[in-house]
Amino acid sequence: MTRNVTIRNLKSRQAGANGYSPLLLLPLCILIFASGAGAAGRTDAVGKAPGVRAGIRQVLFGPVGEPFNMPSDAAVGVNGALYVLDGVHHRVVVFDVDGEFQRQFGSQGSEPGQFLFPLGITAAPDGKIYVADSGNHRFQVFTPEGQVLSAVPLPATESEMPADPTDVVVDATRRKLYIADNDNHHIDVYDLANNRFAGVWGRPGQGRRQFRYPFLVDLSADGYLLVVESINTRVQMLNPDGKFVRFIGAWGVNAGQLFRPKGVAVDGNRVFVTDSYLGSVQVFDLNGTFLGPLTDAAGKPMKFTTPTGIAIDAPRRRLYIVELKANQVCRVDLE
């Protein structure tokens, strides 16, 4: 396996199960700005584009006594509930709209409702929660309360690599589920109306409709699929028929470039992309135009610790950024 993503270290980690206590909250993130952060010898991805301003409002560490351990993704469900995928603990942790811990579901194992180092999560418009159960080579579906509804193995592939789902997203209009298969470099399409797999989009490569380690995904309001490719260092957009539309971003460390993109979230015409190496969130429009970095109220680019998954709460103008190595989720409110 050659995947070059920090998250794969999850599979070599073990975690215990402890009791819970109230949620830890912090009013502010610790921000490291461009002048002193990141790897030696690189240029920070800060340009003349004005960017999108936001303010840090809350940091979630998980329940006291059992904090997050390398969380990878998050999703916003009904009534603004936040679902955080805490893969090393093989669980989903749920918070209410105010950031108060509500419950958790999942444990280590291969039975329905159990996980083995899951990586991606999404909330469907009907409230159901879908999880890419990576180590078990399947996706699972849950009620908003965490009751398992189904566990669906991914189909066998022509390669010698087992299916490796890293994220899922639901197109409720077309009744489709898209699953990123990281090690097999393609997208599985699942027909939710008939409960069957309906095909594969893409193949290994660097060209159009080709992928190298597709990781996290999201969907536009019009049903366009956006796929983060960590090794091809770009976001690739496909239309609802699976045809290539465009690339967003390209390799580099300057403004509008990506070095190790991980997560993507679409908010109207804006596309937010995390970069775990640069520690940044960059913003593009759906045409691929760079709008600038996510900045604080003073216009300084925000810096995060290995930002990975990212989720939008559009009605409340909130953005949740999962900081994998910091073991926390940072909530920012968009201006």
Side-chain angles (χ1 to χ4, degrees), residues 3 15 19 45 47 52 54 96 98 126 149 152 165 168 218 235 241-242 248 267 319 325:
R3 178 185 310 163
V52 175
D96 67 15
D98 297 318
D126 64 2
L149 298 174
V152 181
V168 287
D218 200 13
V235 177
D241 296 320
I248 297 176
D267 178 30
L319 193 65
K325 285 190 174 181

Side-chain angles (χ1 to χ4, degrees), residues 293-308:
L294 188 69
T295 73
D296 67 4
K300 294 182 179 180
M302 290 181 171
K303 305 299 285 188
F304 302 90
T305 304
T306 54
T308 307

Side-chain angles (χ1 to χ4, degrees), residues 64-146:
V64 176
E66 194 176 4
F68 296 138
N69 190 350
M70 297 180 71
S72 57
D73 201 11
V76 178
V78 294
N79 300 320
L82 181 69
Y83 295 77
V84 179
L85 193 58
D86 191 19
V88 170
H89 285 145
H90 316 281
R91 65 177 181 175
V92 176
V93 182
V94 187
F95 304 92
D96 67 15
V97 70
D98 297 318
E100 296 291 337
F101 170 72
Q102 298 297 297
R103 60 188 174 277
Q104 70 118 23
F105 57 89
S107 61
Q108 184 174 6
S110 59
E111 295 297 318
Q114 295 183 312
F115 301 117
L116 189 60
F117 301 104
L119 287 172
I121 188 169
T122 194
D126 64 2
K128 292 178 183 175
I129 304 300
Y130 292 74
V131 177
D133 188 6
S134 307
N136 284 320
H137 317 294
R138 67 189 181 187
F139 70 85
Q140 296 198 67
V141 189
F142 297 85
T143 67
E145 294 74 30

Side-chain angles (χ1 to χ4, degrees), residues 107-219:
S107 61
Q108 184 174 6
S110 59
E111 295 297 318
Q114 295 183 312
F115 301 117
L116 189 60
F117 301 104
L119 287 172
I121 188 169
T122 194
D126 64 2
K128 292 178 183 175
I129 304 300
Y130 292 74
V131 177
D133 188 6
S134 307
N136 284 320
H137 317 294
R138 67 189 181 187
F139 70 85
Q140 296 198 67
V141 189
F142 297 85
T143 67
E145 294 74 30
Q147 296 176 324
V148 63
L149 298 174
S150 60
V152 181
L154 267 64
T157 65
E158 295 180 358
S159 73
E160 296 180 358
M161 300 298 297
D164 183 29
T166 51
D167 202 13
V168 287
V169 68
V170 173
D171 184 341
T173 301
R174 295 165 185 83
R175 302 293 303 278
K176 291 180 181 179
L177 176 73
Y178 301 111
I179 308 109
D181 188 333
N182 187 279
D183 281 342
N184 290 290
H185 314 286
H186 65 230
I187 303 297
D188 283 303
V189 182
Y190 188 79
D191 180 351
L192 292 170
N194 298 294
N195 295 317
R196 62 179 180 85
F197 285 93
V200 171
W201 291 355
R203 58 188 175 87
Q206 300 179 50
R208 296 181 174 186
R209 211 171 180 267
Q210 295 178 347
F211 302 101
R212 291 175 70 204
Y213 301 100
F215 190 47
L216 298 181
V217 299
D218 200 13
L219 202 71

Side-chain angles (χ1 to χ4, degrees), residues 241-258:
D241 296 320
K243 296 181 179 180
F244 173 81
V245 178
R246 65 178 52 89
F247 297 123
I248 297 176
W251 183 88
V253 294
N254 295 317
Q257 297 177 326
L258 303 169

